[in-house]
Amino acid sequence: MTILPDKDAGDLRAAARREVQRGRDFVDEADPEALVTVTVASVALLAAFVGFLAVSSLTAIPFVVFLIASGYGWFRHQELTARVLTLTTTVSTILILGLILVFIFVEAWPTVEYATVTVFGLPIPGLRLFIDTRWSPVSPPIRYSLVPMIHGTVLVTIIATAVAAPLGVAAALFLSEIAPRAVREVVKPGVEILAGIPSIVYGFIGFTILSPWASDQFSIVGQGTYLFVGVVVGLMALPTVVSVAEDALNSVPESMKSGSLALGTTDWQTMTSITLPAAFSGVSAAVLLGVGRAIGETMAATVMLRGSPGLTKPLYNVFYGNDTLTSLIAANYGDADGLQLSALFVAGVILFITVLFLSIGSQYIEARMRKKLGGAE
């Protein structure tokens, strides 16, 4: 049992030595002028980044130096400059993401601390946010419960998934296995165009057409229902589900399908017993990405919902709609300050963590599918 840790440590040390040796070889083989150029560009960009964080008026100077050094290196030493620029871009992306994480968590902490509840003598920060049901940022007692918005987000996401998952998988199956080439070349771009339509347009259509119709048909007081918000958001998530699910279905080896047909099965039997089961992981990842799209939708929900935080009665009543986490942020961010603003950051943290886990889960599922089908890991 003690051999594995030693072996892993040895592998890490060997990998570190290889990377160090690669760096030395790179420095020895590179043109000294090119090394100086990319070093100046990297140091200047780092200085500009630090100046930006420090809100310095001199930030533009190192950034101009970076542009000049990069331009010179691109014309004189293009390959090395391109490698450094791509590495710099990657590192910058990671740094920016890390700073965003730190910022939203720091901004969310005052409300988390304010909502501390003592249970059996042990203070639990933020617990009141999830056990209370009252959002009252103005009238005392001041409460910042996110339960009503989480409830609304869950209902909208469930309805959107019920719309996007079956329609998306069916459309992907049609495009991948059934549609003639000419039809596929027309339908697929049409589906992808849906992703390019601004979400405010979907919300406006829902607000001016679906919501008034629902008010008349179901005798609803006011506009905004979780049901039709979920339908609109499901249609918005449809292109994501179709695109990823089709890629998963296309990755199934043709030999598996041909072997099934050679045994006398029909095309439909092959699709349902071979293609879909083999691509199930990828199709599941497509649905998860669609769910993430639904959870993060803002403008459609903001336009169509009432914007009055509260729980529906009964809880499963989808013919009324109050607020979701995203619509809460969009509707209140401009006027909020103090603890209320911090509470909006808490809502952002919840959304971020939820979508992060969905994204990681979908990537894990896709990696399992590639491994299962013999693809690259």
Side-chain angles (χ1 to χ4, degrees):
M1 297 298 293
T2 59
I3 297 177
L4 287 177
D6 293 340
K7 183 178 184 298
D8 292 341
D11 292 340
L12 290 175
R13 286 193 293 269
R17 284 195 295 268
R18 286 195 298 269
E19 292 301 322
V20 171
Q21 187 59 44
R22 284 181 59 186
R24 291 175 178 173
D25 294 340
F26 172 75
V27 172
D28 293 338
E29 296 172 2
D31 184 0
E33 180 185 352
L35 285 177
V36 171
T37 302
V38 297
T39 301
V40 170
S42 301
V43 172
L45 183 61
L46 178 61
F49 184 72
V50 173
F52 174 78
L53 294 180
V55 198
S56 172
S57 59
L58 303 177
T59 302
I61 297 176
F63 187 71
V64 170
V65 173
F66 164 74
L67 293 178
I68 295 174
S70 298
Y72 176 79
W74 187 262
F75 286 104
R76 294 296 303 272
H77 314 284
Q78 190 174 92
E79 181 179 355
L80 179 60
T81 303
R83 291 177 62 181
V84 172
L85 287 178
T86 53
L87 175 62
T88 302
T89 303
T90 304
V91 173
S92 300
T93 303
I94 297 173
L95 283 176
I96 292 171
L97 178 60
L99 289 173
I100 291 174
L101 284 175
V102 171
F103 176 76
I104 62 174
F105 276 94
V106 169
E107 291 294 321
W109 178 250
T111 296
V112 174
E113 189 175 28
Y114 174 80
T116 299
V117 175
T118 302
V119 179
F120 300 115
L122 179 66
I124 303 178
L127 182 60
R128 191 182 298 278
L129 296 171
F130 306 102
I131 62 175
D132 203 344
T133 60
R134 186 167 179 260
W135 172 271
S136 178
V138 178
S139 302
I142 304 298
R143 292 289 182 266
Y144 300 103
S145 173
L146 296 177
V147 172
M149 283 65 74
I150 294 174
H151 168 257
T153 301
V154 170
L155 287 181
V156 169
T157 302
I158 291 173
I159 297 168
T161 304
V163 172
L167 291 180
V169 174
L173 194 60
F174 173 77
L175 292 174
S176 176
E177 304 295 325
I178 301 174
R181 183 180 181 85
V183 175
R184 185 184 303 114
E185 290 178 351
V186 174
V187 174
K188 187 173 182 180
V191 173
E192 292 176 348
I193 286 175
L194 293 175
I197 300 176
S199 60
I200 189 67
V201 175
Y202 285 99
F204 183 71
I205 293 174
F207 178 75
T208 57
I209 298 176
L210 291 179
S211 290
W213 179 83
S215 297
D216 295 337
Q217 294 297 318
F218 303 104
S219 300
I220 299 173
V221 179
Q223 292 193 3
T225 67
Y226 289 136
L227 176 61
F228 289 104
V229 172
V231 170
V232 170
V233 173
L235 293 177
M236 295 176 63
L238 197 58
T240 301
V241 179
V242 172
S243 179
V244 179
E246 187 195 5
D247 291 340
L249 293 169
N250 287 333
S251 67
V252 178
E254 194 64 33
S255 58
M256 295 176 64
K257 307 174 189 177
S258 301
S260 174
L261 294 172
L263 293 175
T265 62
T266 64
D267 289 337
W268 175 250
Q269 290 172 330
T270 298
M271 283 187 286
T272 56
S273 62
I274 299 298
T275 307
L276 272 177
F280 180 77
S281 296
V283 172
S284 301
V287 174
L288 283 179
L289 289 175
V291 171
R293 176 76 168 87
I295 291 175
E297 175 48 42
T298 303
M299 291 313 301
T302 304
V303 170
M304 295 180 65
L305 292 175
R306 291 179 173 84
S308 55
L311 295 173
T312 58
K313 297 179 181 180
L315 293 178
Y316 55 81
N317 184 2
V318 297
F319 291 99
Y320 285 87
N322 296 317
D323 238 337
T324 63
L325 289 170
T326 52
S327 63
L328 176 76
I329 296 172
N332 293 277
Y333 186 78
D335 300 325
D337 60 0
L339 287 177
Q340 183 181 1
L341 181 61
S342 178
L344 300 183
F345 276 101
V346 177
V349 169
I350 294 173
L351 288 169
F352 176 83
I353 294 175
T354 303
V355 175
L356 176 65
F357 275 103
L358 287 173
S359 179
I360 293 174
S362 66
Q363 292 181 18
Y364 173 73
I365 291 173
E366 284 187 300
R368 286 189 59 188
M369 186 196 71
R370 288 195 298 268
K371 184 178 180 180
K372 178 180 178 182
L373 297 179
E377 295 189 31

